[in-house]
Amino acid sequence: MGPTSTGKVLETSRLKTTRSPRVRNDVRMPRVELFEATTAPLATQTYWANGDPGPIVAALASVPELLGPVLGFVGPALGAGAIGIRAKELAILRTSALQGCSYCIQAHTVVALDVGLTQMEARALRGELPLEDGFPLASERALIGWIDGLAGATGTIPDDVWNAARAHWAEHQLIEVCVTVGATMFLNRLATGLELPTATAVLERLTAEGLQ
Amino acid sequence: MTVTSTTTATATATGAVADAVRDGTLPGRVWLYSNYHCNLACSYCLTESSPRSERRQLTAEQMIAVAEQAKELGFNALGITGGEPFLLPWLPEAVLEMVQHLPLVLLNNGTLFAGERLERAAKLAHPDIALQISLDSHRPDINDMARGPDNFAKVIESVPQLIARGVRVRIATTTAGPLEGPHLDPLRALVKSLGVLDEDHIVRPIVRRGRADEFGLGVQAVARDIPSELCITADGAFWGSFGPTVRNGRLDTDLLLTRTILPLAVPADALLSAVGGMPEGADASLGIR
């Protein structure tokens, strides 16, 4: 069982990938074609102008009319915004852990470290350590409580979770977290459903950090 | 095709597509790949069509909806190709509904007009419908080398029969050689003897895509060289009728515009956006049409 910011516990299955990805020669194989510069549809080819845009773009290019709008949504939803990049990565990594998306957990563990989160904080968000160990500040635990309410449960979210978060964060910041969590959950299901492969560089970094 | 239908279509439609068609930014014809399977397996086929090809066919309802919406958007003509469209048993009836909206040309291989099928095709005797049949050489051996056994004989037999029933027939010659010159005189004479007007005989190059690319045949063409006609298939909408080609069993996606085909405004807008960012191509000098 994994601890939560509210003192309650989540089922372990909410914090870990529950199914084995398809693996071939130690590399996870996607369920769908990942487009390349030579096969990318006309209107998507600009995304390859600066090199490999990554598997999310390479998969979404199969539906060209969706690629632009999707990136136009998830870009700002996952970007720094008004609440700041630390809080955003906290929301993204926690949500991904709750959703059991190994692709997003791996990718955003690296991003989280890059924006200044510690290994202990990353582990706590991933459910590998008690949250209190990684997040001594009440404000951040309250924020994680709000994130857990959004991404780790169904139905209504108790008033005490909202009120605890509102004690530390402005209304517009918590609205922004709603959008970030929603966009992350979309990417979680996309990456998990299509079994998108994690970049080799990310896996190497995680191994080097002892966070694989 | 009648000028009346074309003029009416572009005159009544409003919007960006209609404007683009009127000012020549966008070609007026919308193509539909009705299906991908074919009773032949031509050596230069853009879509690797054959009897074993996956059908990937549009429904009659989709084709009629494309026709209706194409007119509403301001396009002024339709083209149907495949695969071999006449393998679809409902095709003549669907075409007759489509032509109520826009004039159309129906590409086919001219080999499926025996017996009852001829009489079904005869329903297509309409001033706004033209059947475009492929014939590549005045010599049966050369023609059949690329298009299959007995193709020449079947075409020579069916064309006059269709014309006798009031069906307008065009002949399309696809060649790896020069598009003009005295070497084509015997073929032009043959086509004329079948009852086809000179203006209804077009000669065009092989475009190096699909199976033609595997064999290194035809002219190289990039996107801007291919006429920017909107092309609708079961796999999505493409830039140009040379867009949805197949090689080694895999659909080429480089000219894919959208997976959405209806409402037609979605791919039409995508095409318009793509055309806006594209420099002028060499389609005219390459003779691609």
Side-chain angles (χ1 to χ4, degrees), chain A residues 26-28 52 55 103 106 110 197-208 212:
Chain A
D26 294 330
V27 177
R28 190 164 64 212
D52 182 1
Y103 174 90
Q106 290 170 333
V110 169
T198 305
T200 304
V202 168
L203 295 175
E204 289 173 351
R205 172 78 182 281
L206 292 172
T207 300
Q212 181 59 288

Side-chain angles (χ1 to χ4, degrees), chain B residues 120-221:
Chain B
R120 285 173 59 79
K123 294 179 183 175
L124 302 179
H126 186 289
D128 282 346
I129 299 174
L131 267 57
Q132 181 171 306
I133 295 175
S134 301
L135 183 66
D136 291 345
S137 174
H138 64 288
R139 287 179 49 182
D141 55 336
I142 293 176
N143 180 84
D144 291 356
M145 193 186 313
R147 300 190 58 77
D150 300 327
N151 174 264
F152 182 91
K154 289 178 180 173
V155 170
I156 297 298
E157 183 182 358
S158 65
V159 170
Q161 290 179 328
L162 288 165
I163 292 173
R165 285 161 176 77
V167 178
R168 181 174 177 185
V169 176
R170 296 169 59 176
I171 294 291
T173 298
T174 306
T175 178
L179 303 182
E180 294 177 12
H183 67 290
L184 291 171
D185 289 347
L187 176 60
R188 292 195 186 283
L190 172 64
V191 168
K192 198 168 188 172
S193 73
L194 298 175
V196 177
L197 302 173
D198 285 343
E199 68 198 61
D200 282 339
H201 181 201
I202 64 166
V203 181
R204 59 191 184 177
I206 298 171
V207 176
R208 188 172 296 186
R209 287 177 66 85
R211 191 179 283 148
D213 187 40
E214 289 175 48
F215 294 103
L217 300 170
V219 296
Q220 298 271 20

Side-chain angles (χ1 to χ4, degrees), chain B residues 80-104:
Chain B
I80 301 173
T81 186
E84 171 49 49
F86 277 101
L87 287 174
L88 303 175
W90 45 260
L91 186 83
E93 288 73 22
V95 167
L96 287 171
E97 288 203 45
M98 294 169 73
V99 80
Q100 292 178 30
H101 302 290
L102 288 174
L104 65 84

Side-chain angles (χ1 to χ4, degrees), chain B:
Chain B
M1 262 147 263
T2 62
V3 174
T4 310
S5 301
T6 303
T7 306
T8 303
T10 54
T12 55
T14 58
V17 171
D19 291 344
V21 171
R22 272 193 212 97
D23 69 20
T25 307
L26 213 57
R29 190 181 300 279
V30 175
W31 284 97
L32 300 95
Y33 271 70
S34 57
N35 58 307
Y36 272 72
H37 62 304
C38 186
N39 55 318
L40 305 182
C42 302
S43 63
Y44 55 76
C45 184
L46 292 168
T47 54
E48 292 185 347
S49 291
S50 76
R52 288 194 300 274
S53 296
E54 189 182 348
R55 295 190 172 201
R56 294 153 59 197
Q57 65 190 51
L58 294 168
T59 66
E61 291 74 19
Q62 285 174 318
M63 292 177 68
I64 294 164
V66 167
E68 182 179 10
Q69 293 177 27
K71 181 176 181 179
E72 289 169 358
L73 288 168
F75 291 103
N76 58 31
L78 302 169
I80 301 173
T81 186
E84 171 49 49
F86 277 101
L87 287 174
L88 303 175
W90 45 260
L91 186 83
E93 288 73 22
V95 167
L96 287 171
E97 288 203 45
M98 294 169 73
V99 80
Q100 292 178 30
H101 302 290
L102 288 174
L104 65 84
V105 59
L106 171 51
L107 278 54
N108 67 98
N109 61 36
T111 64
L112 295 174
F113 297 126
E116 187 185 340
R117 279 178 159 161
L118 178 63
E119 299 314 319
R120 285 173 59 79
K123 294 179 183 175
L124 302 179
H126 186 289
D128 282 346
I129 299 174
L131 267 57
Q132 181 171 306
I133 295 175
S134 301
L135 183 66
D136 291 345
S137 174
H138 64 288
R139 287 179 49 182
D141 55 336
I142 293 176
N143 180 84
D144 291 356
M145 193 186 313
R147 300 190 58 77
D150 300 327
N151 174 264
F152 182 91
K154 289 178 180 173
V155 170
I156 297 298
E157 183 182 358
S158 65
V159 170
Q161 290 179 328
L162 288 165
I163 292 173
R165 285 161 176 77
V167 178
R168 181 174 177 185
V169 176
R170 296 169 59 176
I171 294 291
T173 298
T174 306
T175 178
L179 303 182
E180 294 177 12
H183 67 290
L184 291 171
D185 289 347
L187 176 60
R188 292 195 186 283
L190 172 64
V191 168
K192 198 168 188 172
S193 73
L194 298 175
V196 177
L197 302 173
D198 285 343
E199 68 198 61
D200 282 339
H201 181 201
I202 64 166
V203 181
R204 59 191 184 177
I206 298 171
V207 176
R208 188 172 296 186
R209 287 177 66 85
R211 191 179 283 148
D213 187 40
E214 289 175 48
F215 294 103
L217 300 170
V219 296
Q220 298 271 20
V222 295
R224 64 177 181 273
D225 299 330
I226 294 173
S228 52
E229 293 164 315
L230 182 58
C231 182
I232 303 300
T233 79
D235 294 308
F238 288 77
W239 168 299
S241 60
F242 297 97
T245 47
V246 177
R247 74 189 83 194
N248 298 320
R250 184 190 174 283
L251 177 70
D252 290 324
T253 47
D254 55 328
L255 296 178
L256 174 68
L257 292 169
T258 62
R259 297 292 188 178
T260 304
I261 56 175
L262 290 169
L264 195 65
V266 173
D269 286 346
L271 176 62
L272 208 49
S273 297
V275 167
M278 196 70 77
E280 192 170 341
D283 53 312
S285 60
L286 291 175
I288 299 172
R289 48 186 163 162

Side-chain angles (χ1 to χ4, degrees), chain A residues 64-129:
Chain A
E65 65 269 42
L66 289 184
L67 181 55
V70 165
L71 295 183
F73 169 59
V74 299
L78 271 60
I83 200 169
I85 195 66
R86 176 180 165 86
K88 278 294 180 78
E89 283 307 323
L90 195 150
I92 297 165
L93 183 53
R94 181 66 172 176
T95 300
S96 299
L98 289 165
Q99 292 293 316
C101 176
S102 60
Y103 174 90
C104 295
I105 293 168
Q106 290 170 333
H108 279 278
T109 295
V110 169
V111 177
L113 296 176
D114 286 345
V115 301
L117 272 74
T118 65
Q119 282 196 7
M120 182 177 285
E121 288 170 334
R123 285 189 184 283
L125 290 170
R126 291 175 9 162
E128 297 162 12
L129 294 173

